[in-house]
Amino acid sequence: VEAWSDNRQRKFSNDFKFGVSTSAYQVEGAWNVDGKGESIWDRYFHDNPKVITDGRNGDEACDSYYYYKRDVEMLRELGVDYYRFSISWPRVLPSGFPNEQNKLGFQYYDNLIDELLKYNITPMVTLYHFDLPQKLQDLGGWVNPLSVDWFEDYAKVVFDKYTSKVKYWITVNQPNSICTSAYGEAAMAPVLNKGVSEYECTKNVLLAHAKAYRLYEKEYKNKYKGSVGISMSLNWADPADNSTENVEATEVFRGFNIDLFLNPIWSKTGDFPSTVKKIVAKKSKQQGFSESRLPVLSPKEIKLLRGSADFLGINHYTTVLVKTSDEDVQSPSFVNDVGVEIVLGDKWKQSQSAWLRSAPYGLYKLSIYLNQNYDYPTIFITEHGWSTKPGLRDRSRVENMRQYLNALLLAIEDGTNVKGYTVWSLMDNVEWQAGTSERFGLYEVDFESKDKKRTARMSALVYKRIIDTRIVEEDWEPKHLNIATL
Ligand code: GBH
């Protein structure tokens, strides 16, 4: 029992929703089948196979393109309320534009959505989870200001098609990962490293989101009553110790990693946060730029963005500890603007992913931070998960899930407005550069087998039990792992 906890049995209310998540590139496979266009991840991994830990890319992944009925069967076994999956933009619009609409690509999503609805499972659709059409990347991708309109056009096609069937929409998954990892750290496709691009990307992705939101609000909302949100990668950050400089470094870190993305949408005043504006302006000046590398949002853009979400999707995995950095790197980049060093708690349990350790209190503290700074936003936890090696008896995932759900129950008790919780992931999949070397699934996938055989792990049975009972039992264990007969 943590200091912030006690022994009371808490319960998820009956209207709290439970779900699981995947994304198109990571599970669908069929990368060049039935007219699908190339995505930036297809291109990146085909050109650079060596960056993938175990060499397994998304060409086949879980072959969900073929086995979606099995996926829905698993959702039924779990008893989840909703399934969060993403639509592959290049599968439905191979050129990136609505001029070419791929019937067979849409057929796949028609089938998946209908199969879900047949069994009363709510679809939660992410429009964009990292897989930009390569043809749009060739035009500059997210640093081209026209990307705002490209995305709006794409969103319109998809809204038109599924508005009567889909009530939960997420425009973009993790703008902060897209813009800082892919356009800054060279850690995600398309791998650019320009120093200025992180912020241009941030502005464009946020505006793209807001335009899609306003489009839905204007054209569909009254009639179809759906909700549109956006998912942010929001891990918690604490100072490595209580020294003034590390406390200040942590505030800077939060400014760049949380507030830069939330302030424009959830704050009363809108716009990028003033702390971040000041730091980037100052460094830009020192570096000889004539203007801040952080672009200005016009009054019109600020207004467009402010309030442009019905819910905040939180992808929360872990906590980091922040210290000041010894080296003061002068070359322009997002990372250097933040200018801190990150460590992980040495007592925290380590997962199979280097970046991921278990620190459940962080979810609680993050919730309180968001409540205080953004006035109790409506939240869905749109991803939380834990990685292991292959194996069905995944006790570390069970323990991690229980502890984080307990932290969430405390956050709810303290007023956090959370509507639902989503496990990443329904099944093992292609974890980007980690390939299949890090397993996040409630179901194990045998990638060597012909039908990408899926088998429930212990965590799947435990999650089913939590959904069923609405409580988190410390020591319940299934007697066998056959979820179909549980
Ligand atoms: C999620 O991001 C993604 O949305 C999801 O697609 C993915 O499957 C899931 O993570 C699990 O990996 O390798 O040291 O450069 C969560 C936030 C940000 C975590 C980028 C991993 C890369 C760390 N992610 N980060 S590193």
Side-chain angles (χ1 to χ4, degrees):
V1 181
E2 307 279 349
W4 43 271
S5 184
D6 59 35
N7 288 321
R8 262 188 50 208
Q9 178 72 71
R10 292 171 173 81
K11 221 175 160 165
F12 287 100
S13 66
N14 286 332
D15 59 356
F16 188 87
K17 307 286 184 215
F18 290 98
V20 289
S21 181
T22 60
S23 89
Y25 181 81
Q26 295 178 271
V27 302
E28 285 177 4
W31 79 278
N32 61 353
V33 172
D34 290 344
K36 176 180 167 294
E38 190 187 17
S39 81
I40 55 175
W41 283 94
D42 295 325
R43 173 70 63 90
Y44 177 48
F45 280 167
H46 290 152
D47 287 356
N48 306 278
K50 293 226 169 70
V51 303
I52 313 170
T53 310
D54 65 347
R56 201 187 312 269
N57 63 25
D59 287 3
E60 295 181 3
C62 307
D63 270 336
S64 285
Y65 191 69
Y66 306 106
Y67 302 121
Y68 68 91
K69 286 199 176 165
R70 171 65 181 134
D71 294 346
V72 176
E73 183 178 53
M74 287 141 63
L75 299 166
R76 289 158 57 206
E77 288 170 352
L78 290 167
V80 291
D81 300 296
Y82 63 95
Y83 180 39
R84 174 180 183 255
F85 63 94
S86 78
I87 290 181
S88 161
W89 186 346
R91 189 181 294 290
V92 295
L93 305 183
S95 72
F97 295 101
N99 66 314
E100 219 182 290
Q101 304 198 8
N102 183 18
K103 263 202 153 141
L104 292 172
F106 274 117
Q107 186 66 53
Y108 168 66
Y109 298 107
D110 293 349
N111 294 343
L112 173 59
I113 291 169
D114 289 345
E115 186 76 3
L116 290 168
L117 294 177
K118 181 166 153 196
Y119 295 107
N120 240 332
I121 298 165
T122 303
M124 179 184 270
V125 174
T126 305
L127 290 174
Y128 182 71
H129 196 124
F130 302 170
D131 48 354
L132 196 73
Q134 179 61 42
K135 290 197 169 164
L136 297 182
Q137 192 61 50
D138 296 343
L139 300 174
W142 291 112
V143 296
N144 186 335
L146 293 175
S147 60
V148 176
D149 300 329
W150 304 336
F151 184 76
E152 189 189 12
D153 288 349
Y154 160 57
K156 179 160 182 9
V157 174
V158 178
F159 286 155
D160 273 342
K161 205 145 175 74
Y162 298 122
T163 188
S164 65
K165 295 180 176 176
V166 174
K167 304 297 170 191
Y168 287 96
W169 296 97
I170 291 160
T171 54
V172 179
N173 186 63
Q174 297 180 185
N176 34 3
S177 302
I178 296 168
C179 297
T180 64
S181 297
Y183 290 81
E185 292 161 59
M188 286 189 10
V191 181
L192 302 175
N193 208 337
K194 291 186 192 161
V196 199
S197 50
E198 298 94 319
Y199 301 115
E200 295 297 333
C201 172
T202 298
K203 174 177 172 177
N204 295 332
V205 171
L206 289 178
L207 288 174
H209 151 80
K211 282 241 180 157
Y213 179 86
R214 298 298 175 203
L215 172 71
Y216 189 88
E217 187 180 43
K218 186 159 168 268
E219 307 280 339
Y220 310 88
K221 196 168 196 155
N222 278 341
K223 179 142 183 234
Y224 298 101
K225 315 267 179 250
S227 315
V228 180
I230 179 169
S231 289
M232 303 285 186
S233 172
L234 293 176
N235 292 324
W236 181 238
D238 259 338
D241 57 41
N242 285 332
S243 66
T244 311
E245 65 267 23
N246 287 344
V247 170
E248 281 170 9
T250 305
E251 278 161 17
V252 171
F253 182 90
R254 289 178 193 152
F256 278 87
N257 286 285
I258 300 178
D259 305 318
L260 178 62
F261 298 88
L262 265 54
N263 211 75
I265 301 176
W266 279 276
S267 70
K268 292 251 149 45
T269 49
D271 203 359
F272 293 132
S274 54
T275 46
V276 173
K277 283 206 249 183
K278 264 185 219 142
I279 293 171
V280 184
K282 186 168 159 219
K283 295 214 178 178
S284 302
K285 198 167 174 200
Q286 287 166 353
Q287 290 158 346
F289 288 87
S290 55
E291 286 172 56
S292 176
R293 287 179 281 101
L294 182 69
V296 171
L297 295 174
S298 71
K300 222 176 127 192
E301 290 167 338
I302 290 173
K303 192 160 169 250
L304 181 79
L305 275 159
R306 198 161 26 86
S308 66
D310 299 319
F311 62 90
L312 165 62
I314 296 182
N315 297 351
H316 178 88
Y317 288 83
T318 192
T319 288
V320 295
L321 300 177
V322 182
K323 317 192 222 189
T324 54
S325 172
D326 295 337
E327 28 183 339
D328 182 19
V329 190
Q330 277 307 310
S331 60
S333 82
F334 176 86
V335 172
N336 294 339
D337 289 340
V338 188
V340 303
E341 202 185 304
I342 291 300
V343 292
L344 302 176
D346 50 17
K347 298 211 174 62
W348 300 344
K349 197 182 176 88
Q350 178 70 48
S351 72
Q352 183 65 15
S353 311
W355 54 273
L356 175 51
R357 288 191 186 179
S358 191
Y361 84 96
L363 177 56
Y364 176 81
K365 287 185 89 173
L366 172 73
S367 306
I368 302 308
Y369 179 88
L370 298 175
N371 292 342
Q372 288 177 346
N373 289 281
Y374 298 105
D375 196 18
Y376 295 84
T378 302
I379 291 169
F380 269 91
I381 307 291
T382 43
E383 288 180 22
H384 167 259
W386 181 254
S387 61
T388 60
K389 294 196 173 79
L392 298 179
R393 302 206 160 258
D394 55 344
R395 289 203 165 77
S396 67
R397 177 173 293 102
V398 167
E399 184 186 57
N400 175 268
M401 183 197 295
R402 283 182 172 149
Q403 291 178 348
Y404 272 81
L405 284 174
N406 278 328
L408 190 60
L409 282 166
L410 292 180
I412 291 169
E413 191 164 290
D414 286 351
T416 308
N417 186 11
V418 196
K419 301 286 182 205
Y421 166 86
T422 323
V423 173
W424 183 274
S425 173
L426 169 60
M427 63 191 144
D428 295 341
N429 55 60
V430 175
E431 284 295 337
W432 312 109
Q433 287 94 327
T436 51
S437 68
E438 299 170 11
R439 306 296 185 100
F440 278 83
L442 295 176
Y443 282 71
E444 177 153 295
V445 176
D446 178 358
F447 292 96
E448 300 296 335
S449 66
K450 209 185 103 275
D451 57 351
K452 311 281 187 238
K453 191 169 178 346
R454 294 114 155 92
T455 311
R457 292 200 167 106
M458 185 188 279
S459 57
L461 285 89
V462 170
Y463 193 42
K464 179 185 176 75
R465 170 100 177 169
I466 292 170
I467 296 171
D468 219 36
T469 60
R470 327 297 295 175
I471 59 173
V472 181
E473 294 153 299
E474 270 332 302
D475 41 26
W476 182 82
E477 269 207 15
K479 292 197 178 58
H480 58 76
L481 293 188
N482 186 350
I483 195 166
T485 65
L486 188 69

